[in-house]
Amino acid sequence: MNPIRVFPEWRDRPLDQVLGACRELVENANFPTVKRWRAAGGKVVGHFQVYFPEEIVHAAGVLPFRVRGAPIEPLQSDSRFGSYLCSILKTSLELALSGRVQLDMFVTHPICDAARNLAGVWGRNFPYRCQILYLPQNATSPSAPAYLRGEYERLLHDVEAVAGHAISDDDLRASIAVFNENRALLRELYALKRRAPWQVAMDEAYVLVAIGGMLPREEHNELLRWVLPELERRTARKLDRIRVVFEGGFCEQPPLDLIRAIGRSCYVVDDDLLIGLRWILEDVAASGDPLADLAHAYLHASSYSPVQHDARKPKEEMLLERIRGAGATAAIVTAAKMCEPGLEEQVGYVRALDAAGIPYFVSEFEESMTSFDHLEIQLETFVENLMFD
């Protein structure tokens, strides 16, 4: 695939400095890696949360860029939206309006009413293609695989127009292989979080996942291949902390400082942060029709979130399974402010946790938060009550 490399800051440095470089990249709202990609002649397709088949864009030699908002003021985008909307919609558009990122195409999804309308708002402000990828609403329908394959083919033709050349099945299979390796490395990272959470802090694991949305996957794979053994080898002391699961980071992302603050109080052994990058739970087959293989993986080998409705994956039971599988004793159930799917699901999660007798801490967040003292004190009180009860 494309040999462009855009993140030299991590190379030939010790682990702590590599993690520091990853943090700086994730917190940089100017997205220098995307700018370097474009400066080298590359094209960029931006896609909104939660899940997107990035293999299709990658197969064209184009950079798939995860548009996940940023902790910035929506100075220009605020006038394009109503008042009572989640922050991520406004700051995502602000990234483009302010010139922080330049795209050649934008794709959103009907995960909620606001996100469904984002393509229309975006398209009124930019000349490039802006479209909606309609993932199946009824994942168990016999027609879902063929329908989703057709959606992927429609997307592929638009990506071909951006790239200026056709995408072959062999191109897709090669990309699937790259992303299969990426997902395997991320599964290894999360296995370490569950097995020995003192070896990798919550914020460290988060930035190692998040940079995947702004790098060529080959480069992300190279970094993870180097980092994971270093994390295993580092000297870290196991502390007396409770093990918890964090739920509520599927779309808008908490500020990195908030993630760091949570990690100071407890061991977060599993979460749904940036779940779209880890949506597919196993290797995608690459021997048959690659678009059909990707559709099958989405429908039958995937995680869960409040924005997908699948009767085979009741979200409350899936959360309980995540808690049990990670050996956690409590949950942090949170949601972004003004996030209708997240806040609605919070009610169901709380009822399921009550019924299962699992203690939980409920909160809200916003990507632009800058003060966490009150929330951190509440969380520390919750943790201490569990530890000394």
Side-chain angles (χ1 to χ4, degrees), residues 270-287:
D270 206 347
D271 59 65
D272 68 340
L273 294 163
L274 293 169
I275 192 65
L277 291 170
R278 302 177 287 117
W279 184 256
I280 306 299
L281 300 175
E282 58 190 46
D283 284 355
V284 178
S287 56

Side-chain angles (χ1 to χ4, degrees), residues 4 42 82 84 108 151 162 173 186-187 195 198 247 290 297 312 331 335 383:
I4 299 174
Y84 298 103
T108 188
E151 276 293 283
V162 170
R173 293 187 187 103
L186 293 178
R187 289 196 297 270
R195 184 176 70 253
W198 51 91
E247 191 80 12
R312 300 167 300 176
V383 169

Side-chain angles (χ1 to χ4, degrees), residues 337-369:
K337 292 181 178 179
M338 304 293 179
C339 175
E340 186 175 346
L343 291 169
E344 283 185 354
E345 199 60 47
Q346 211 173 55
V347 177
Y349 286 151
V350 165
R351 288 175 177 168
L353 292 167
D354 278 333
I358 297 173
Y360 55 87
F361 177 82
V362 177
S363 69
E364 291 183 0
F365 68 86
E366 192 172 29
E367 61 185 0
S368 60
M369 290 172 63

Side-chain angles (χ1 to χ4, degrees), residues 149-381:
R149 190 207 176 281
E151 276 293 283
Y152 285 175
E153 186 171 14
R154 179 176 65 84
L155 172 68
L156 181 142
H157 292 319
D158 276 350
V159 173
E160 287 177 331
V162 170
H165 60 80
I167 302 170
S168 70
D169 282 356
D170 285 341
D171 292 332
L172 286 167
R173 293 187 187 103
S175 288
I176 287 172
V178 170
F179 279 77
N180 278 344
E181 180 185 10
N182 188 254
R183 286 184 284 263
L185 290 165
L186 293 178
R187 289 196 297 270
E188 187 177 339
L189 174 63
Y190 268 71
L192 177 61
K193 273 170 63 86
R194 290 188 291 271
R195 184 176 70 253
W198 51 91
Q199 292 293 118
V200 53
M202 183 185 183
D203 61 297
E204 292 173 338
Y206 178 82
V207 298
L208 288 170
V209 175
I211 59 172
M214 58 189 83
L215 295 180
R217 271 311 191 284
E218 296 88 344
E219 192 168 5
H220 192 213
N221 288 350
E222 185 181 0
L223 185 151
L224 291 174
R225 284 196 299 267
W226 184 87
V227 164
L228 287 169
E230 295 295 317
L231 289 172
E232 292 270 13
R233 284 193 292 264
R234 78 196 306 192
T235 301
R237 185 166 58 92
K238 181 180 178 180
L239 301 176
D240 187 18
R241 292 179 175 175
I242 66 168
R243 296 167 61 94
V244 306
V245 162
F246 179 97
E247 191 80 12
F250 61 93
C251 186
E252 185 172 326
Q253 297 300 290
L256 189 54
D257 284 342
L258 175 57
I259 293 174
R260 188 179 294 116
I262 293 171
R264 286 195 293 263
S265 298
C266 51
Y267 286 136
V268 178
V269 290
D270 206 347
D271 59 65
D272 68 340
L273 294 163
L274 293 169
I275 192 65
L277 291 170
R278 302 177 287 117
W279 184 256
I280 306 299
L281 300 175
E282 58 190 46
D283 284 355
V284 178
S287 56
D289 176 352
L291 292 180
D293 290 337
L294 286 169
H296 180 274
Y298 174 83
L299 293 168
H300 302 295
S302 58
S303 186
Y304 70 97
S305 89
V307 299
Q308 188 200 45
H309 305 285
D310 188 333
R312 300 167 300 176
K313 297 185 290 185
K315 290 176 279 291
E316 294 81 5
E317 182 56 40
M318 296 299 289
L319 172 58
L320 296 179
E321 187 176 311
R322 174 174 279 166
I323 292 169
R324 297 182 188 116
T329 57
I332 297 174
V333 181
T334 186
K337 292 181 178 179
M338 304 293 179
C339 175
E340 186 175 346
L343 291 169
E344 283 185 354
E345 199 60 47
Q346 211 173 55
V347 177
Y349 286 151
V350 165
R351 288 175 177 168
L353 292 167
D354 278 333
I358 297 173
Y360 55 87
F361 177 82
V362 177
S363 69
E364 291 183 0
F365 68 86
E366 192 172 29
E367 61 185 0
S368 60
M369 290 172 63
T370 57
S371 176
F372 319 108
D373 292 345
H374 186 60
L375 190 151
E376 192 168 7
I377 291 171
Q378 289 180 319
L379 180 58
E380 288 174 354
T381 303

